[in-house]
Amino acid sequence: MSEITLTLSRRRVDRPAVIDAGAPSGHTGPGHALRGMQELHEGEQAAIVRVCDGSDAACARRLFDLGFAPGASVVKVRRAPFGGPAVYRIADYEIALRPEQARTILVGTESSEPVQPGAYAARSFAA
Amino acid sequence: MSHEHHGGGGSVAVAEGTPRIALVGSPNSGKSTLFNALSGLHAKTGNYPGVTVTRYEGLTQTPAGPVIVEDLPGAYSLDPISPDEQVVDEVLDPDCDRPTSPDAVLATVDATTLRRSLGLIAQVLTIGLPTTVIVTFTDELARRHGRLDLVALERALGVPVRGIAAGDPRAVGELREHLTHARHWPRPVIPPPTDPDEVSGWISSVLASAGYRVPDLDTRTQKIDAVLLHPVWGTIVFFVTMFLFFQVIFTVAAPLQDLVQSFFDWLAGLVQTYVPDSWLTGLLSQGIIGGVGSVLVFLPQIALLFIVISLLEGTGYMSRAAFLMDRVMARAGLEGRAFVALLSSLACAIPGIMATRSLPSAKDRLATMLSAPLMTCSARLPVYVMLISLMVPADVRFGPIGAQGGVMFLLYLGGAIASMGTAWFFSRITGRRQGQLPFYMEMPPYRLPRLATVFHAVWDACAAFLRKMTTIILGATIVLWLLLNLPTPSAAQLQQAGIDPADSGAVATYTLDHSAAGAIGHAIEPVFEPLGFDWRINIGVISSLSARETFVATMGQVAAASDPENPGTALETMTVDHGPRAGEKLFTPPVVGSLMVFFMFALQCIATMAVMRRETGTWKWPLIAWVYMFGLAWVMSFLTHLVLGAVL
């Protein structure tokens, strides 16, 4: 394993500080609790709050590398029939995920101000 | 090929010190298109040692001499999650100095997905090798009103950046010139960060300083997807597409295959006419020409299959089809993309196994390869037709359904179920060791497929198949022919047996009965006796290793039928010649049923094993597959024999 791979495999994409993001800052009230991304309706837009690494940290790091970063905005474009995968638009492209993986990504209602990837996380740290 | 390295096959032979450049990029980033443009048709394929990952390497001519280009497997990150991505990490590892370590890196990024792609670029830049970033699909970026300042991007990244539009020969020429001083390309002064938050910030700042404007949503793609991914219309289009796909590799290929077959029949005829009559005539006409012919007939099928697959992939429909099928395939532990490989296997397992190349994960590739030979291929059809006619009279009907057709349907269904079950079984086994891969699949915008890409895919597949054909398959066919035809009986022996040497049919039967294969047929009787097979059926089973349909002709010869292609009537009256069942009919329903089940499961096909060896790079998997399927076939045939014997 190369040095860079070792460094990358030690990344923590599930930052503890982001877990309670929004709770104190006010824009996610009781009605806007965090949801798994698979719960989004077709066409609904949301902001990614957390990429959970509970069961599979390698998977969480991969989802992060695919663009599912805290603060990024995501749209569920459409879903396959019979509980199959769904297409999400993230980081200016479209990708299909199965519900099992989408569930590990928690989203909150997007604030009205445009969110830059990275900025959301930074703000959470500040809060 | 003379210059294939052992173990790490696929290296090109060049003078020592030739610069070596690795192509890195995510899937769909135009990496392979660039590789094809640089290396032309001289790419060598092989396997990375120990893994089922294909290695592509080619030579490109620059003004300063040749440069080796290696097309690494597509990777979304240097934090590997599959064996394919591990290969990328190992090749690029700067601390590991191998002769195959690259001197420089060409990293491709799709201009329309720049935000995501820069994550990989950040990781590649931290390695510290001289790097050039190739921005692809710049024409599409412009069409969708996006904007990117390549000069500013070069400044922001600190390494050379080149833009390339699809199919722009001038840009490729300029790139060749740029490759001449690959070893002196600048390395980034400050490597990008690796921390998740910092890297998000780094990407944003690079995009801002390069004046990147996100391209508009592709309205064309959205309109097409609204139909093709629609729960109703999308499903209908999917089934129509797959039906047409199957038609192409099954029906359209048939006349081409007949053409190849008649050419080799003609060639064999020439040999029989002009080579003086001896055992050599037989070896040349039946053994070699017949053997090569019986394998070359698959070439039209393989070529057509790869034309269709690369069109499906090039347009972007493959991802949509896989998206629709994923739920079904997930039940077998596979993913949507495996569907095409299994469907192709209904025509022939050889193109089916080769079609697994489109699967991104090595684990899925293996599980699909091992399950593909269980799908009912066209070579089983003549065997089934003969056996069904032995067991079920043509006029038996259950309501509107003919019993013969019903049995045929059950055989197809059984094959499909066995195939899915096998995929499930092996993806569990290999999955436990390698960990389950999360499923994710990029949905690229619809694009017009590039002719050159289609051509390369077909060329690669056909060339690989022909290379294997001329070695393993040809050798195996010759050995099999020798077993079935030697020793040649002398005139005295024939006279003793009361056979007229002029009666070629009787001579052939006598030769086969007393051949080495005949001896083996007797020797392995204990293995097949519980299934109800006698030594003559065993000869047929051995001969079917060259191609399943050979079983029909061999049984014909064994039964000395007047028409070896239609041995049904002669076989029906055949009796057991020794042992406790002597005098009874040989082909009783339990025996025929057990034979059908045996052919449903057993891997009776040397060519399939050879292709599996080629695709996995080791004999381990074809051997595992053969043993697994033989075991399965034996047990299931035994049970069938038992149950049918008790019921009928």
Side-chain angles (χ1 to χ4, degrees):
Chain A
M1 196 184 274
S2 70
E3 203 176 314
I4 168 71
T5 298
L6 202 63
T7 313
L8 291 172
S9 69
R10 287 182 181 145
R11 287 176 299 171
R12 296 272 336 258
V13 294
D14 190 1
R15 299 295 176 112
V18 187
I19 293 173
D20 41 36
S25 63
H27 64 259
T28 46
H32 303 284
L34 297 186
R35 290 178 287 167
M37 193 172 70
Q38 91 286 2
E39 286 180 36
L40 291 176
H41 305 292
E42 271 183 58
E44 190 181 352
Q45 183 167 353
I48 293 174
V49 176
R50 182 182 166 195
V51 183
C52 303
D53 64 5
S55 57
D56 189 349
C59 174
R61 295 199 305 274
R62 172 50 47 101
L63 290 172
F64 177 85
D65 285 330
L66 290 171
F68 294 94
S73 137
V74 64
V75 181
K76 185 174 192 170
V77 181
R78 67 185 83 246
R79 55 183 185 82
F82 314 117
V87 179
Y88 298 92
R89 186 178 306 122
I90 182 87
D92 316 325
Y93 78 113
E94 291 185 358
I95 189 165
L97 294 185
R98 285 183 182 161
E100 301 94 281
Q101 274 84 46
R103 192 168 288 129
T104 67
I105 298 171
L106 299 184
V107 295
T109 311
E110 203 166 40
S111 56
S112 50
E113 57 207 285
V115 182
Q116 284 298 313
Y120 195 97
R123 197 170 49 224
S124 307
F125 279 123
Chain B
M1 291 285 116
S2 57
H3 38 247
E4 258 187 14
H5 290 221
H6 189 73
S11 299
V12 286
V14 282
E16 220 169 297
T18 310
R20 185 174 258 284
I21 295 173
L23 266 173
V24 185
S26 56
N28 303 309
S29 66
K31 183 171 61 67
S32 296
T33 309
L34 179 64
F35 174 74
N36 290 338
L38 285 175
S39 69
L41 288 176
H42 308 295
K44 297 276 173 289
T45 57
N47 267 79
Y48 289 99
V51 283
T52 51
V53 179
T54 311
R55 170 186 192 144
Y56 295 90
E57 201 173 286
L59 214 54
T60 190
Q61 295 301 331
T62 72
V67 170
I68 305 169
V69 187
E70 179 171 358
D71 187 15
L72 292 176
Y76 284 107
S77 164
L78 292 185
D79 184 5
I81 205 164
S82 67
D84 310 56
E85 292 182 338
Q86 255 155 26
V87 163
V88 179
D89 171 47
E90 276 160 27
V91 172
L92 292 181
D93 189 352
D95 300 326
C96 183
D97 193 30
R98 296 202 198 104
T100 52
S101 294
D103 300 299
V105 173
L106 266 185
T108 52
V109 282
D110 177 347
T112 64
T113 65
L114 201 55
R115 182 178 293 282
R116 191 223 46 225
S117 313
L118 278 178
L120 177 65
I121 295 298
Q123 298 172 357
V124 169
L125 290 180
T126 51
I127 295 173
L129 281 168
T131 305
T132 288
V133 173
I134 307 289
V135 181
T136 56
F137 298 108
T138 50
D139 47 343
E140 190 176 314
L141 182 76
R143 181 173 65 77
R144 285 163 55 190
H145 310 291
R147 204 177 53 213
L148 175 66
D149 182 346
L150 292 178
V151 178
L153 182 63
E154 179 164 324
R155 237 184 347 253
L157 293 177
V159 296
V161 172
R162 297 285 182 274
I164 201 161
D168 179 0
R170 210 192 45 192
V172 175
E174 283 170 10
L175 182 60
R176 276 214 179 87
E177 203 162 317
H178 181 63
L179 292 180
T180 53
H181 34 262
R183 281 183 177 134
H184 307 293
W185 290 343
R187 302 160 200 244
V189 186
I190 313 158
T194 51
D195 176 83
D197 286 332
E198 288 174 30
V199 87
S200 295
W202 179 83
I203 290 172
S204 294
S205 81
V206 168
L207 289 178
S209 48
Y212 185 60
R213 193 170 74 198
V214 178
D216 296 342
L217 291 179
D218 190 21
T219 44
R220 187 172 66 184
T221 296
Q222 285 189 304
K223 278 182 199 150
I224 301 175
D225 268 349
V227 178
L228 293 192
L229 295 182
H230 188 273
V232 178
W233 304 126
T235 312
I236 293 173
V237 171
F238 170 78
F239 280 111
V240 170
T241 309
M242 289 305 137
F243 177 76
L244 291 176
F245 172 83
F246 192 57
Q247 285 292 307
V248 167
I249 53 171
F250 214 29
T251 318
V252 178
L256 295 170
Q257 291 182 299
D258 289 346
L259 218 64
V260 175
Q261 188 64 61
S262 16
F263 172 74
F264 280 94
D265 287 348
W266 172 76
L267 216 60
L270 277 189
V271 170
Q272 272 163 350
T273 316
Y274 292 106
V275 177
D277 195 37
S278 68
W279 65 272
L280 188 68
T281 326
L283 177 63
L284 279 176
S285 64
Q286 294 166 7
I288 297 178
I289 297 178
V292 170
S294 71
V295 175
L296 269 187
V297 290
F298 294 123
L299 202 59
Q301 230 172 29
I302 290 173
L304 279 169
L305 173 87
F306 273 85
I307 291 174
V308 179
I309 284 187
S310 54
L311 285 177
L312 289 178
E313 270 183 352
T315 51
Y317 186 69
M318 187 69 101
S319 310
R320 273 76 183 178
F323 175 73
L324 291 170
M325 281 314 287
D326 185 65
R327 184 83 189 92
V328 177
M329 300 303 285
R331 289 188 173 276
L334 297 176
E335 54 141 303
R337 279 166 281 206
F339 183 79
V340 170
L342 291 187
L343 186 73
S344 319
S345 303
L346 280 174
C348 174
I350 294 167
I353 287 170
M354 293 174 80
T356 59
R357 289 179 184 186
S358 63
L359 297 177
S361 105
K363 175 186 83 83
D364 282 4
R365 219 149 43 220
L366 263 182
T368 314
M369 261 184 229
L370 290 167
S371 54
L374 286 165
M375 297 297 276
T376 303
C377 66
S378 53
R380 283 182 176 96
L381 213 53
V383 179
Y384 286 170
V385 167
M386 181 191 96
L387 291 175
I388 288 175
S389 67
L390 273 177
M391 184 161 89
V392 187
D395 50 3
V396 177
R397 304 182 75 82
F398 297 106
I401 305 154
Q404 287 196 336
V407 172
M408 185 67 91
F409 176 76
L410 286 180
L411 289 169
Y412 267 86
L413 190 69
I417 292 172
S419 171
M420 298 298 262
T422 300
W424 180 86
F425 177 65
F426 278 102
S427 65
R428 279 295 170 292
I429 290 185
T430 53
R432 198 177 304 150
R433 192 157 39 88
Q434 299 172 353
Q436 289 289 331
L437 290 180
F439 168 79
Y440 52 85
M441 184 175 57
E442 203 176 335
M443 307 292 264
Y446 289 101
R447 288 167 175 152
L448 277 178
R450 302 203 42 242
L451 217 62
T453 310
V454 175
F455 180 72
H456 265 99
V458 176
W459 175 273
D460 276 356
C462 292
F465 178 70
L466 284 179
R467 259 202 303 278
K468 199 86 296 179
M469 205 253 357
T470 50
T471 52
I472 299 172
I473 300 175
L474 180 61
T477 340
I478 292 175
V479 168
L480 209 58
W481 185 88
L482 292 175
L483 285 179
L484 288 165
N485 290 278
L486 292 183
T488 314
S490 65
Q493 281 172 322
L494 288 177
Q495 210 166 20
Q496 209 177 1
I499 289 167
D500 176 10
D503 182 355
S504 63
V507 173
T509 305
Y510 181 88
T511 310
L512 188 62
D513 284 358
H514 296 84
S515 68
I520 297 173
H522 276 293
I524 60 174
E525 240 176 350
V527 178
F528 287 109
E529 209 269 316
L531 313 184
F533 301 179
D534 80 335
W535 66 278
R536 287 165 298 186
I537 298 181
N538 294 349
I539 297 180
V541 168
I542 294 170
S543 75
S544 73
L545 277 170
S546 65
R548 289 183 180 89
E549 66 266 31
T550 316
F551 179 77
V552 176
T554 310
M555 288 322 286
Q557 252 183 50
V558 170
S562 46
D563 179 5
E565 299 294 329
N566 286 305
T569 25
L571 286 176
E572 245 175 283
T573 52
M574 221 161 118
T575 53
V576 182
D577 62 354
H578 68 281
R581 278 179 61 217
E584 291 175 35
K585 261 185 154 184
L586 174 60
F587 286 98
T588 57
V591 173
V592 176
S594 123
L595 252 178
M596 279 196 273
V597 171
F598 183 81
F599 271 95
M600 185 157 98
F601 291 113
L603 183 45
Q604 292 297 103
C605 182
I606 291 172
T608 300
M609 293 181 68
V611 169
M612 218 183 260
R613 152 79 181 77
R614 216 217 84 73
E615 296 294 314
T616 60
T618 147
W619 276 110
K620 180 179 140 194
W621 290 107
L623 285 176
I624 287 177
W626 192 85
V627 170
Y628 164 78
M629 284 174 208
F630 183 84
L632 197 64
W634 196 94
V635 171
M636 297 309 268
S637 294
F638 178 72
L639 291 178
T640 310
H641 191 238
L642 208 67
V643 170
L644 285 182
V647 172
L648 297 173

